Amino acid sequence: MGRKVPTQVHHAATRLVQGKLLSRPPLWYSAVAQYPPLPLPPRQAVNRTNFDSPLGLQSRSDTIPEGSSKPYEKMRKEVKPRVMPILYLEDKVRQRFFLDHPFEAFRPRTLVEQREVEPEHPVVGKDWTRLRQRGRNPTSEDCIKFAVSLHVHHLLPLSQAYRTACQQYAALRSEHTIASQVAFLEAKAYGAKFNPESSEIGRGFKLEEQALSKWNKATTADVNEQASRKKWRPIFPKQVEDFGLWTRGEEYLHKYKAGETPKYQPNTDAISSPVDSSEAER
């Protein structure tokens, strides 16, 4: 008899009872049928929801009419265990958005996690009809969420929802840019002075230039200081002595045996003379 899978034991008992091979079900049958054993991962895949599955792999259980069995038995059949692709609608819209607006990726954003998760905006679902409802300065993520909300809650086609969200996003961004420029000109007309080095980037460039200028000043100061210190220098006449051939120390030993004392002191006739400042700068 072949090996039995633990999750199929109560099914086998059911078939034996229906075939009248067993007069009555075993004592454990009702408990196992009510609380079946957990399926083994390699044997049976967990039923997947339609939330993050592609459109072509979503189950058709919602479209099966009541009271019908035979035409839809193949649809209800479980697929073989295999790795299923994970797909979210937001990722698809985000990929399209940054392909159409590549410079939006250069906007500074903070990636530091806070102590608490930011709560969801109160305007969601069917109440969210315009992107302006979440502020006059929306981000790229607001545009992506708005497109998905139009597609899911307002049942618009994804292409139309994406086009509507991008149009409203571009209008709000241009409005914010014009308002910022007008505010800058108005403040400047009233006498406000804006320091271009007030930003962190300008401050970094300024510190870098100061450090480089210090290096140049230090190099010039070292050269001048060395030239000012060289007011006196020793001058020794060049003397060329004819030592003759190399005798491997035999001549020195001969003079030592003859009683001649060698002289190791340098010539003290040479004196030190001051030099001109123009010569010291060389």
Side-chain angles (χ1 to χ4, degrees), residues 105-260:
F106 293 96
R107 294 189 183 275
R109 295 184 58 188
T110 175
L111 302 179
V112 180
E113 296 182 357
Q114 306 296 333
R115 297 182 59 183
E116 298 179 357
V117 180
E118 184 179 358
E120 185 68 22
H121 199 276
V123 181
V124 292
K126 294 184 178 181
D127 297 335
W128 195 9
T129 57
R130 297 190 64 82
L131 185 58
R132 187 188 294 270
Q133 293 177 266
R134 289 202 177 185
R136 294 179 177 271
N137 186 20
T139 61
S140 57
E141 290 297 324
D142 293 335
C143 180
I144 294 169
K145 291 180 181 179
F146 181 61
V148 174
S149 178
L150 291 178
H151 175 66
V152 175
H153 299 286
H154 297 275
L155 304 179
L156 291 178
L158 186 58
S159 58
Q160 183 179 354
Y162 173 74
R163 183 168 57 254
T164 303
C166 289
Q167 290 175 354
Q168 297 186 18
Y169 177 77
L172 291 176
R173 291 301 306 176
S174 60
E175 180 181 343
H176 181 267
T177 302
I178 295 173
S180 301
Q181 293 177 355
V182 171
F184 172 77
L185 295 176
E186 183 180 1
K188 194 174 181 180
Y190 278 104
K193 295 182 180 180
F194 296 93
N195 186 8
E197 299 177 354
S198 59
S199 63
E200 193 65 24
I201 298 177
R203 181 173 173 272
F205 280 118
K206 184 178 180 180
L207 293 176
E208 183 179 359
E209 291 177 358
Q210 291 178 358
L212 293 176
S213 62
K214 287 181 180 179
W215 292 353
N216 295 333
K217 292 180 180 178
T219 305
T220 307
D222 292 342
V223 173
N224 296 335
E225 185 178 0
Q226 292 177 2
S228 62
R229 289 180 180 178
K230 292 184 178 180
K231 293 182 179 180
W232 298 83
R233 67 179 182 182
I235 300 177
F236 296 97
K238 296 183 179 180
Q239 298 179 359
V240 180
E241 299 181 2
D242 186 10
F243 296 99
L245 300 176
W246 184 43
T247 60
R248 298 182 180 180
E250 296 179 358
E251 185 177 358
Y252 174 81
L253 185 59
H254 177 71
K255 292 181 179 181
Y256 175 75
K257 292 180 179 181
E260 297 182 6

Side-chain angles (χ1 to χ4, degrees), residues 10 25-36:
H10 60 288
L27 299 177
W28 50 264
Y29 178 77
S30 59
V32 175
Q34 188 176 1
Y35 303 100

